[in-house]
Amino acid sequence: MAVLVALAVGAGLYVGGALPAQVPPAAGAFGYADYAQALSHVRPSGDLDFEGLSRDRAALERFVASLAAVSPHRQPELFPSPEEGLAYWINAYNALVLMQLVERHPDGVGASWFGRFYWGHAWPVGGERLTLWAMEQRILLGEYSDPRVHFALFRGTRGGPRLDGAPYQPEFLDAQLNDASRRYMGDARHVKLEDKTVHLARLLQDRQQDFLAALPEGRGGNVLQFVWAFLPDTCEERPGCDTRGDLDRACGPQLDKCRIDFIPEDTSLPDTATAARR
């Protein structure tokens, strides 16, 4: 019994990111240049050229290695503003998802059971051994309260938030988070209006309380209010999307005349090779 308890406690500490990790010496000043090189293989659709990324794997590995030596928790003086800390953690999370996909290719998230992709591997990050789950739950959502982060985190799936083609930068972070939210809402896989029914991605249900908490006082408890804020005014850049005006006309001024249907996420690998065969 004691052994089982010890194993359970150890597993909890592992998944929760509460175990220490060795800190290697930093190879140089911390930056996002290597990560930007890896992101050059992201296509406008959000799919990834894994063949090209494999040729640039060394750049991604260098960036991942740099995370082991530097983090806002270990060297807060290098990340004095909330924007610098949040940009670090978003980039770190997305890079580790990308690294794990490269190592598993051609298997993706859907090939792992019970979400093990997110909690089954711990990475050394600034003296901590962190799973993706711990980075998301304990740090990105626990230390920062911006619900737009949900749309900036690359989940390794074709149906989730798209991976941007450039690192998040502290000086542009607010605009980049807005762009990520608009990309997500402007995608018919995430928001689709049919008569009086609005089909929404399951993410908007799973994290609904985060989105409702961000609404101005008096806006009510309707997640469509949050969706409306990031819908496009026109669909010039993404033909076939739904606009704010479409939602207003169908659902009324309070957005309470429509039924919401939450739809499952496409968990297939966002690989340009498979996209070409579709």
Side-chain angles (χ1 to χ4, degrees), residues 33-43 46-64 94-105 107 154 156 163-165 269-273:
D34 284 326
Y35 181 45
Q37 184 174 333
L39 290 178
S40 68
H41 300 286
V42 179
R43 298 295 173 253
D47 287 330
L48 284 153
D49 173 13
F50 277 95
E51 183 179 344
L53 183 57
S54 294
R55 293 193 296 269
D56 259 351
R57 177 172 176 155
L60 181 59
E61 289 176 339
R62 285 195 299 271
F63 178 68
V64 169
N94 289 347
L96 293 177
V97 169
L98 196 55
M99 189 75 254
Q100 194 156 296
L101 288 177
V102 170
E103 292 178 343
R104 292 167 56 90
H105 189 264
D107 292 332
F154 177 52
L163 185 62
D164 201 356
L269 185 67
D271 191 342
T272 54

Side-chain angles (χ1 to χ4, degrees), residues 75-93:
Q75 295 105 333
E77 69 279 3
L78 299 181
F79 306 90
S81 71
E83 292 79 12
E84 287 168 299
L86 183 53
Y88 172 96
W89 289 114
I90 294 174
N91 289 328
Y93 181 96

Side-chain angles (χ1 to χ4, degrees), residues 111-132:
S112 61
W113 50 278
F114 295 111
R116 190 174 184 274
F117 182 91
Y118 304 106
W119 54 261
H121 185 89
W123 307 82
V125 181
E128 302 172 276
R129 189 162 290 280
L130 300 176
T131 61
L132 292 170

Side-chain angles (χ1 to χ4, degrees), residues 210-247:
D210 294 344
F211 305 132
L212 295 180
L215 292 174
E217 189 174 350
R219 291 293 291 274
N222 189 341
V223 73
L224 290 180
Q225 298 282 359
F226 189 89
V227 171
W228 182 92
F230 293 103
L231 279 177
D233 291 318
T234 68
C235 290
E236 294 177 1
E237 294 184 1
R238 190 178 288 273
C241 76
D242 292 302
T243 67
R244 291 178 178 178
D246 294 331
L247 207 61

Side-chain angles (χ1 to χ4, degrees), residues 4-15:
L4 292 177
V5 171
L7 288 174
V9 170
L13 293 173
Y14 179 89
V15 173

